[in-house]
Amino acid sequence: MFSSEVYVNRRNKLRKKIKSGIILITGNNESPMNYPDNGYHFRQDSNFLYFFGIDLAGMIGIIDVDNNIDYIFANDYDIDDIIWMGPQPSIKELASGCGVKNTAAFKEVFDFVKKAINTDRKIHFTPPYRHDNMILLNELLDIPIKSLKEKSSLELILGIVSLRNIKEDIEIKEIERACNIGYLMHTTAMKMAKQGIVEREIAGAIEGISLSFGTVPSFPIILTVNGQTLHNHYHGNTLKNGNLLLIDAGAQTSMYYASDNTRTMPVGGKFSNKQKEIYQIVLDSNNHASSLMKPGKTYKEIHLAASEVLANGLKQLGLMKGDIKEAVALGAHALFMPHGLGHMMGLDVHDMEDLGQIYVGYDDETRPSDIFGTAFLRLGRKLEKGFVLTNEPGCYFIPELIDIWHKEKKFENFINYTKVNEYRDFGGIRLEDDLLITENGARILGDKRIPIDVEEVEQTMNM
Ligand code: GLY
Ligand code: MN
């Protein structure tokens, strides 16, 4: 945990953004895997972590806006808990660690909230994403489960987003720690990517690195010779020389700050010319995007600029044709990159996606596109100093998508389908860095950038 003042300050800042009422911040509970006592690794809710910092199940925090008081409702460990899980500080002691003086048993929250409802106080809560918390909110507030999302507080969502979008220095340090763990995960994978190894052997090894320096990875590892499937979690293929191996993996520190990096490498340690050509285009797109980042630029313009670099490169190889600016504006390049350039990152790998991407990544000035590809851009808004985001252009050859577009004669004036079909078994390449927006630009987080130039990657693989 950070020091108690950090949490007191954050709650006070949030209070100032909300006109009146009480704010409920539900913590997470244990989540059973295959029977109640065999749970998934516990993951605290990120809003609870941000405002209260306590990494334990079964808690609810309340921020009373009108009376300037905060509460934690949770049960002390009883002797059964202690026998099986060991002693814990009391809830009072834990709460004092985040500057909260008022605590009570969990069941007391029902009376507390009922009183607030009976006195017509506004109850603010965020859209729940776990079913047990949906049931809890339904019982506390008497709102049907299917209406909870629409009845959640936009005022609270926007208040939280405005705080969490700007990373504090102590948060940046944690994210850098996560990036350094990510560096070790990716460079280890590069050294392991040899013919005969099964994907899961590398996935297991790098998951172990995340666990040994922090906790479980920030999302299920994507590690595949079929990188054309964007979120491929199948790890059963045996690597063969000539394959491209795409690894999208990030760590979490023990305080749950995330990293998220993607590298793509040639099994056996040497890119073919065909692979190198596409790789370099994706790398140019990545480098161009990061060179444009600074406060005041919208990420939507940077996404489009990075897409133009990609499409221009593909034109040079004969895969695209025509006016590239126009092709990108109309979305023709999305055959090769059907996703956005990046997203916010922090306590969540897709930061605050539970609150709604539209509030995190967009604002009144920048609205999402409805064009296939660009519509999947999670972050479009004007950049501000203190944003932490990912830069992850890619180029994929998805046979099923190629066939559909080809049959529809889609964008025939921009896409050379005969040439594209020569790449049907190419796979996919994505190159992803994590960056902090600074006063005048942006910098890649972590002590060292994970090897990314062709020669650097080959060198690391052959160490
Ligand atoms: N790294 C996974 C994603 O950004 O969706
Ligand atoms: Mn990402």
Side-chain angles (χ1 to χ4, degrees):
M1 266 176 88
F2 297 124
S3 71
S4 60
E5 296 80 58
V6 169
Y7 302 100
V8 171
N9 277 337
R10 289 173 177 177
R11 294 193 300 269
N12 285 340
K13 280 188 186 160
L14 182 63
R15 231 187 294 274
K16 291 211 180 89
K17 292 176 184 281
I18 306 293
K19 272 204 267 333
S20 64
I22 63 169
I23 300 166
L24 308 187
I25 308 276
T26 45
N28 278 339
N29 299 306
E30 296 288 354
S31 181
M33 205 157 47
N34 49 345
Y35 53 89
D37 280 346
N38 200 30
Y40 289 104
H41 184 95
F42 175 69
R43 176 55 156 87
Q44 184 58 286
D45 173 76
S46 297
N47 292 313
F48 193 88
L49 282 172
Y50 189 80
F51 292 108
F52 295 95
I54 305 170
D55 185 19
L56 275 183
M59 305 196 143
I60 183 161
I62 291 194
I63 300 172
D64 184 332
V65 176
D66 312 316
N67 300 305
N68 220 6
I69 307 176
D70 302 321
Y71 302 83
I72 287 180
F73 293 88
N75 297 333
D76 278 318
Y77 266 30
D78 64 18
I79 187 63
D80 284 341
D81 299 320
I82 292 169
I83 289 169
W84 290 96
M85 291 174 299
Q88 271 294 339
S90 68
I91 297 302
K92 264 250 158 313
E93 288 166 300
L94 289 167
S96 94
C98 65
V100 172
K101 292 193 191 72
N102 298 284
T103 64
F106 191 83
K107 65 176 176 10
E108 305 291 334
V109 77
F110 286 87
D111 276 348
F112 187 94
V113 171
K114 194 180 281 167
K115 221 182 259 168
I117 293 172
N118 290 341
T119 49
D120 278 338
R121 298 182 73 192
K122 169 107 180 119
I123 319 279
H124 301 269
F125 59 95
T126 58
Y129 55 90
R130 286 207 181 181
H131 297 116
D132 48 0
N133 277 333
M134 291 180 193
I135 295 168
L136 173 68
L137 288 173
N138 162 257
E139 288 174 349
L140 275 174
L141 306 170
D142 201 22
I143 296 173
I145 285 178
K146 62 176 185 331
S147 308
L148 282 167
K149 190 171 173 199
E150 99 191 43
K151 300 268 185 209
S152 63
S153 165
L154 184 56
E155 195 184 357
L156 176 60
I157 290 171
L158 295 175
I160 294 177
V161 166
S162 69
L163 292 176
R164 285 183 54 192
N165 261 354
I166 309 292
K167 269 53 183 184
E168 300 159 349
D169 289 347
I170 47 173
E171 294 188 284
I172 294 163
K173 281 206 181 91
E174 274 296 307
I175 296 170
E176 298 231 61
R177 268 187 205 122
C179 291
N180 288 341
I181 304 170
Y183 180 95
L184 203 54
M185 289 163 74
H186 281 272
T187 50
T188 301
M190 285 178 187
K191 290 170 199 161
M192 287 181 76
K194 307 231 185 298
Q195 168 148 291
I197 295 269
V198 182
E199 290 163 338
R200 75 171 76 86
E201 295 179 60
I202 308 179
I206 66 175
E207 177 140 0
I209 293 174
S210 181
L211 275 162
S212 64
F213 286 94
T215 182
V216 291
S218 51
F219 58 95
I221 289 173
I222 298 162
L223 185 152
T224 179
V225 293
N226 289 312
Q228 74 280 6
T229 303
L230 303 184
H231 279 181
N232 197 332
H233 294 130
Y234 176 72
H235 296 151
N237 295 303
T238 302
L239 272 47
K240 290 193 206 71
N241 283 341
N243 289 156
L244 275 178
L245 179 68
L246 182 151
I247 304 179
D248 184 347
Q252 276 184 117
T253 63
S254 48
M255 289 180 69
Y256 298 106
Y257 282 88
S259 67
D260 180 10
N261 291 104
T262 311
R263 289 294 184 264
T264 310
M265 61 208 71
V267 172
K270 188 98 189 102
F271 286 98
S272 69
N273 278 338
K274 192 172 179 181
Q275 289 170 341
K276 214 186 286 185
E277 284 170 346
I278 301 284
Y279 187 95
Q280 194 57 48
I281 293 171
V282 179
L283 180 54
D284 291 345
S285 170
N286 171 307
N287 286 335
H288 185 61
S290 58
S291 76
L292 297 177
M293 289 178 200
K294 61 175 182 190
K297 274 253 185 216
T298 70
Y299 212 52
K300 199 173 183 178
E301 345 167 27
I302 299 175
H303 166 90
L304 293 172
S307 303
E308 280 174 24
V309 172
L310 181 82
N312 263 316
L314 294 175
K315 182 176 174 179
Q316 265 158 37
L317 292 181
L319 290 148
M320 290 190 76
K321 55 189 175 178
D323 182 319
I324 288 306
K325 241 189 164 39
E326 196 190 338
V328 168
L330 293 171
H333 68 290
L335 176 64
F336 307 99
M337 186 174 121
H339 65 68
L341 184 65
H343 50 84
M344 296 284 204
M345 192 186 78
L347 274 167
D348 308 298
V349 64
H350 290 177
D351 215 19
M352 295 170 274
E353 209 159 276
D354 60 311
L355 302 181
Q357 212 166 271
I358 188 86
Y359 307 119
V360 180
Y362 289 88
D363 54 20
D364 290 342
E365 197 183 342
T366 314
R367 305 306 294 164
S369 159
D370 51 13
I371 294 176
F372 175 81
T374 310
F376 305 136
L377 179 61
R378 290 188 162 91
L379 168 62
R381 74 197 297 167
K382 208 176 253 179
L383 300 179
E384 292 175 40
K385 179 172 178 256
F387 280 11
V388 168
L389 48 81
T390 68
N391 171 21
E392 49 181 309
C395 183
Y396 315 88
F397 294 87
I398 307 167
E400 296 80 358
L401 187 63
I402 295 169
D403 289 343
I404 291 172
W405 280 35
H406 194 180
K407 207 162 137 204
E408 289 174 359
K409 302 185 190 315
K410 196 163 169 171
F411 295 125
E412 266 189 333
N413 45 339
F414 297 121
I415 295 166
N416 179 353
Y417 285 102
T418 311
K419 187 79 182 167
V420 171
N421 273 313
E422 290 172 20
Y423 286 73
R424 288 178 74 84
D425 61 354
F426 183 91
I429 292 176
R430 178 162 66 252
L431 297 172
E432 177 178 22
D433 294 318
D434 303 329
L435 293 105
L436 168 71
I437 304 301
T438 58
E439 192 85 45
N440 308 308
R443 74 172 173 87
I444 292 175
L445 291 169
D447 292 343
K448 284 182 285 187
R449 190 181 192 188
I450 299 168
I452 196 163
D453 291 334
V454 166
E455 300 73 30
E456 272 179 336
V457 171
E458 290 184 348
Q459 234 171 47
T460 309
M461 294 185 80
N462 290 297
M463 265 178 184

